[in-house]
Amino acid sequence: MRILKFLLRKEFRQIFRDKSILAMIFAMPSIQLIILPLAANFDVKNVNLAIVDNDHSTYSQRLISKVGSSGYFRIIEASHSFKEALHTVEDNRADLIMEIPAGFERNLVREGSQKLSLAVDAINGTKAGLGGAYLSRIIGDFNGDVRLQWIQPGRFNEATVIDVTSSNWFNPLGEYRFFMVPGILVLLLTLVGGFLSALNIVREKEIGTIEQINVTPIQKWQFILGKLIPFWVLGMIVFTIGLLIARLVYGIIPVGSLATLYLFAGVYLVALLGFGLLISTYSDTQVQAMFVAFFFVMIFILMSGLFTAIDSMPPWARAIAYMTPVTHFIEVVRMIILKGSGLADVTRQLLYEVGFAIVLNGWAIWNYRKTN
Amino acid sequence: MKQLLVFIRKEFYHVFRDRRTLLILFGLPTAQIMLFGYALSSEVKNINLAVVDFSKDIATQQIITKIQSSSYFNLQQSVLSYADMERAFREGKIRAAIIFPTGFNDDLRHVNKAQIQIIADASDPNTATTITNYLTGIIGDYQQQINAAAALPYQIQTETRMLYNPDMNGSLNFIPGVLALILMIVCTTLTSVSIVREKELGTMEVLLVSPFKPILVLIAKAVPYLVLSLLDFALILVLAVFVLDVPVRGSVVLLFAESTLFIICCLSLGLLISNITASQQVAMLASMMGMMLPTILFTGFMFPLENMPLPLQLVSNIVPSRWYYLIVKAIMLKGLGFGAVWKETVVLIGMAIGLLGISLKNFNIRLA
């Protein structure tokens, strides 16, 4: 125990000596947490629309003004031909083209039906899908207006109507930041913990100081614990700062219990640090450690369900997503902060992190050899 | 000139001697592009949906069957009460619920009007909106079906064309994005480490006392990484085209030229980081921890840049991968020529020159 105490003192000193690393550990995540959630906004409100009106009739004008006043679309151009409109899509200025064919009004009124063509820049699927859906809905509304104008009341039986009401739970205003801030906090914690611990042992290897430790009667587990505990403390501080920023800057106050949140964060950090140490024991140089850590952390980040929904992934990818510790932590942080889920609701995920922590740290201790 | 070539050769030896790092350099991006190419898509599928059916009649059955037959939803075991539903939400087992009040079918047949309630878990607002849209669409279909007897006059039909991506291949948007992201992080980090490493190990002194201009030292260091990065790019491109079915509609030569420019830009950024940091650890933390999330967000393949507040849109302009992503999308997916990407090209050239200039100015000939 005394040995561990000395080791810890040494590690803490080492960390606090290098001011630029300290700044990196605390300032960088804080700044990113303040700024980045504002950038991660997926409200599809400003869909850019180019319009080709070949009809120039009252009806086509009415349709265009209806679309323009809906609040979802920015009409960026009224083009003379489809070809011209296509240029706006090529330049990324427009996401959608609506083309009103010549004879639109006449055909609609005389022949009772008329086609309208939409062209969607389908490279970005979400925007294409949502924009197309909004536009179809507006056109449907417009269609209803037209019908109402031409069909005398009483001539038809009233059509059957299913009235759909929808409500959004846990985030009634659909604030995107409530969704992003907890997730980004987890990612930043992952970056700090993962990279720092991955670099650590290998640094001693590269500089040669590890030999000195290896010739001392320090046990493997003491050495690893000595590395782990300081980073764990730093991680918890970063997590606390993050929660404060979420509260002060974004007004996010956890609905659920802070104790559960901290318990989970504590276990998660142990798992993550074990992962970093494991990489460290397998690498020869800091560059190698860094790239391996980069590889996994990027998978953690992109497959964590923060940016794209896990449910939509193919089954094998979903399996990978659920194998990574980040996925569970993001899920749990959201559940506790936004939905107020309790310890009982997150037991499954907690057990998973515990298992992860034991396996990774055990592996790291086993793989760290004192003779090298 | 001969000196420079000798120097470059030495740097190549350095790089190729380290087999493990090489393996990492080629293995990792390959694995990543495959993984993300298949796994990421912006579609919303397989949503866990609970049905709370207080009516249990023929109409609700028909609607439920209709929902079941779409690939968007996984119908969970019907929950029986509001309390069950709430618990399922809190445990994260469902993303949405659809509620039929009692007497649904009776209302529909006799009053011509019935109600359905949709509840979505808006802790993910975008998915919630999409789910609500899907469900409303399916119910709308059903409504049309029962109204079909009375065919409606004055109908506007819409015909939608999916430009550039008729099959709605979900990964099409992500491949150029991930490509830009991987190249940017890998190139920048590699170079950022290379110089600081010599400083740390003390070999930099040897270089600086040699009769060799500092700029040539920088060039010699950068050339092997440029070559490696281009090989990496070629590998990713081959995988994208032949394995992930991403088309290259435009000119491959132009694509390579633009990629070279982008890589030079990233290498210059790496040199700059290398010059202003004192240890490998700080250099790597700066280039990875500091750049990873901003690059993901500001490249524009995850979140639309035009939704960001104006100051952040301005910030996104200084991220090189943002411009490269536009170029790749235009050439690969839209099949456009140089005329469509010249502005982005000019920006990248400007960045490369600017970054190189600052790096050179900061490149200390004497060490502390």
Side-chain angles (χ1 to χ4, degrees), chain A residues 166-174, chain B residues 118-125 128-129 132:
Chain A
S166 60
S167 43
N168 286 333
W169 277 16
F170 310 117
N171 180 8
L173 297 176
Chain B
I118 298 169
I119 295 174
D121 175 355
S123 49
D124 177 349
T129 315
T132 311

Side-chain angles (χ1 to χ4, degrees), chain B residues 4-302:
Chain B
L4 181 64
L5 284 179
V6 174
F7 220 120
I8 293 177
R9 196 190 305 157
K10 172 212 147 221
E11 291 295 332
F12 262 111
Y13 282 141
H14 261 311
V15 174
F16 282 101
R17 203 173 33 203
D18 188 353
R19 292 288 145 109
R20 255 175 114 172
T21 309
L22 270 186
L23 186 73
I24 291 169
L25 272 187
F26 286 102
L28 300 193
T30 312
Q32 281 178 332
I33 204 93
M34 298 298 292
L35 189 58
F36 300 141
Y38 280 116
L40 298 186
S41 87
S42 43
E43 288 166 293
V44 178
K45 280 189 300 198
N46 308 315
I47 301 148
N48 289 332
L49 176 80
V51 176
V52 188
D53 189 354
F54 292 119
S55 192
K56 291 207 188 357
D57 53 43
I58 175 128
T60 64
Q61 261 323 309
Q62 281 168 345
I63 295 178
I64 292 170
T65 315
K66 231 173 147 61
I67 294 173
Q68 241 164 353
S69 63
S70 85
S71 68
Y72 300 131
F73 299 100
N74 273 337
L75 231 50
Q76 296 305 97
Q77 204 71 42
S78 304
V79 291
L80 303 169
S81 65
Y82 280 112
D84 286 347
M85 178 183 73
E86 259 189 80
R87 188 162 342 106
F89 268 119
R90 257 207 327 277
E91 288 171 357
K93 285 190 180 143
I94 55 170
R95 296 259 168 263
I98 182 165
I99 302 167
F100 299 98
T102 46
F104 182 80
N105 191 36
D106 292 345
D107 286 350
L108 206 58
R109 305 293 157 191
H110 303 308
V111 199
N112 278 341
K113 207 174 168 91
Q115 282 193 330
I116 291 178
Q117 197 189 358
I118 298 169
I119 295 174
D121 175 355
S123 49
D124 177 349
N126 194 46
T127 310
T129 315
T130 312
I131 294 173
T132 311
N133 275 345
Y134 284 162
L135 282 174
T136 315
I138 293 175
I139 296 164
D141 270 0
Y142 179 74
Q143 187 181 312
Q144 259 182 0
Q145 218 173 302
I146 52 178
N147 281 331
L152 294 168
Y154 307 110
Q155 224 170 47
I156 302 176
Q157 286 148 354
T158 47
E159 212 176 33
T160 308
R161 253 208 304 162
M162 297 293 168
L163 298 172
Y164 313 118
N165 187 9
D167 311 327
M168 291 301 282
N169 177 356
S171 61
L172 214 59
N173 180 44
F174 286 101
I175 302 290
V178 173
L179 174 69
L181 177 65
I182 292 179
L183 277 185
M184 170 126 173
I185 301 276
V186 170
C187 298
T188 312
T189 311
L190 267 182
T191 4
S192 78
V193 176
S194 71
I195 290 183
V196 91
R197 183 151 195 253
E198 302 230 13
K199 278 197 220 166
E200 212 170 61
L201 296 178
T203 42
M204 201 64 185
E205 263 101 344
V206 184
L207 282 180
L208 290 179
V209 293
S210 69
F212 208 64
K213 282 199 190 128
I215 183 167
L216 295 182
V217 176
L218 290 188
I219 292 178
K221 290 238 157 254
V223 167
Y225 292 119
L226 176 66
V227 173
L228 278 182
S229 305
L230 271 174
L231 287 176
D232 241 356
F233 166 73
L235 182 68
I236 293 176
L237 193 65
V238 166
L239 285 175
V241 172
F242 292 103
V243 184
L244 296 168
D245 287 328
V246 178
V248 181
R249 300 207 169 94
S251 143
V252 177
V253 178
L254 182 60
L255 197 56
F256 262 92
E258 297 280 359
S259 302
T260 311
L261 174 60
F262 173 64
I263 291 168
I264 291 176
C265 210
C266 298
L267 294 179
S268 316
L269 181 61
L271 285 179
L272 181 61
I273 294 177
S274 207
N275 282 337
I276 53 182
T277 51
S279 70
Q280 282 189 77
Q281 214 172 359
V282 181
M284 282 191 276
L285 288 178
S287 45
M288 288 224 171
M289 219 162 79
M291 281 175 34
M292 196 135 111
L293 280 182
T295 312
I296 292 179
L297 292 178
F298 290 123
T299 299
F301 71 107
M302 282 285 181

Side-chain angles (χ1 to χ4, degrees), chain A residues 164-371:
Chain A
V164 182
T165 54
S166 60
S167 43
N168 286 333
W169 277 16
F170 310 117
N171 180 8
L173 297 176
E175 297 268 14
Y176 217 74
R177 60 202 164 118
F178 287 179
F179 173 69
M180 288 312 294
V181 173
I184 288 186
L185 171 59
V186 171
L187 293 190
L188 289 169
L189 192 64
T190 308
L191 286 177
V192 174
F195 284 149
L196 278 181
S197 56
L199 284 180
N200 201 277
I201 294 180
V202 77
R203 179 156 192 258
E204 301 223 19
K205 274 195 213 166
E206 212 172 337
I207 301 178
T209 45
I210 206 159
E211 316 277 324
Q212 291 161 27
I213 289 178
N214 285 345
V215 294
T216 61
I218 293 173
Q219 301 280 312
K220 277 187 191 184
W221 64 270
Q222 286 170 330
F223 179 69
I224 298 267
L225 267 187
K227 292 280 175 200
L228 216 144
I229 292 172
F231 291 135
W232 189 86
V233 173
L234 289 178
M236 290 309 264
I237 297 175
V238 169
F239 187 64
T240 308
I241 295 176
L243 285 180
L244 282 175
I245 290 177
R247 182 174 198 140
L248 297 177
V249 179
Y250 289 99
I252 298 173
I253 298 164
V255 182
S257 111
L258 271 181
T260 317
L261 203 54
Y262 269 92
L263 172 68
F264 209 95
V267 175
Y268 171 73
L269 264 177
V270 176
L272 183 72
L273 294 175
F275 162 77
L277 293 177
L278 182 62
I279 291 180
S280 212
T281 59
Y282 270 106
S283 316
D284 306 326
T285 63
Q286 292 184 69
V287 182
Q288 282 174 11
M290 200 65 184
F291 274 101
V292 175
F294 160 68
F295 172 70
F296 283 107
V297 167
M298 198 155 134
I299 291 175
F300 288 175
I301 290 180
L302 290 182
M303 298 191 67
S304 65
L306 184 62
F307 298 124
T308 64
I310 294 177
D311 293 337
S312 322
M313 295 175 183
W316 60 268
R318 228 176 302 158
I320 294 177
Y322 280 116
M323 257 160 38
T324 63
V326 186
T327 306
H328 298 283
F329 191 31
I330 288 185
E331 195 184 340
V332 165
V333 165
R334 273 188 195 148
M335 284 166 78
I336 297 175
I337 293 186
L338 298 176
K339 300 191 200 172
S341 307
L343 189 57
D345 295 319
V346 302
T347 315
R348 187 172 49 87
Q349 288 92 334
L350 188 63
L351 287 178
Y352 185 85
E353 301 285 2
V354 170
F356 217 80
I358 293 173
V359 170
L360 288 180
N361 284 293
W363 191 352
I365 294 175
W366 175 78
N367 191 53
Y368 163 64
R369 286 175 214 296
K370 285 190 72 175
T371 47

Side-chain angles (χ1 to χ4, degrees), chain A residues 43 127 137 143 163 179 282, chain B residues 20 114 123 133 154 306-307:
Chain A
D43 268 342
K127 218 169 172 184
R137 205 188 292 167
N143 202 170
D163 189 12
F179 173 69
Y282 270 106
Chain B
R20 255 175 114 172
S123 49
N133 275 345
Y154 307 110
E306 63 266 27
N307 279 9

